[in-house]
Amino acid sequence: MKPFKSITPLSRWLLRIALFTYLFMTHFAMLKTMNFGEIQFYFAFVYILFAILLIAGGLFSQSLTLVSSLVIFVLALYQLIVSFTGTITSGIVLFFIPVSISLFFLSTGNKS
């Protein structure tokens, strides 16, 4: 059976939207508090900012896609490593979502 290559652009956009939605839903509550004293506020801000830039990169620039995906990848990988306690929990697994999607965009950019 052959893959449906004609839906690749649609799948890339769905991945962008899914990543943005996931990051927005998980981090917007922290961003809404405007607690500048917590490091989690800055993580939330960077996540949401670069998720927006990842979508903009799909519209305008390959470089913007690559930079945005790199920042999201590094941030999510850092949080994955820091929160790992020796056992794999559902919280740890949730960090794999932005890690894997951002790694995909980091490796392929805006290719159709």
Side-chain angles (χ1 to χ4, degrees):
M1 191 166 168
K2 291 186 175 187
F4 297 110
K5 292 185 180 188
S6 62
I7 62 171
T8 300
L10 174 65
S11 66
R12 288 180 190 279
W13 277 104
L14 289 176
L15 282 172
R16 288 177 202 273
I17 292 166
L19 182 60
F20 171 78
T21 304
Y22 172 76
L23 291 174
F24 185 81
M25 298 290 287
T26 56
H27 296 289
F28 186 69
M30 175 57 76
L31 198 62
K32 220 168 47 171
T33 64
M34 295 292 237
N35 190 353
F36 298 111
E38 287 189 40
I39 189 76
Q40 291 301 329
F41 171 80
Y42 296 104
F43 276 104
F45 178 75
V46 171
Y47 268 132
I48 292 174
L49 173 66
F50 282 93
I52 292 168
L53 291 176
L54 183 66
I55 290 174
L59 296 171
F60 302 114
S61 167
Q62 169 99 346
S63 302
L64 192 54
T65 296
L66 295 175
V67 169
S68 300
S69 59
L70 177 64
V71 170
I72 293 170
F73 174 76
V74 168
L75 201 59
L77 188 63
Y78 169 78
Q79 285 191 307
L80 176 77
I81 291 168
V82 167
S83 61
F84 185 68
T85 61
T87 58
I88 297 176
T89 63
S90 60
I92 296 294
V93 172
L94 287 178
F95 285 119
F96 281 121
I97 295 169
V99 167
S100 59
I101 294 175
S102 61
L103 184 62
F104 171 77
F105 283 112
L106 187 59
S107 66
T108 63
N110 291 339
K111 276 196 293 189
S112 295

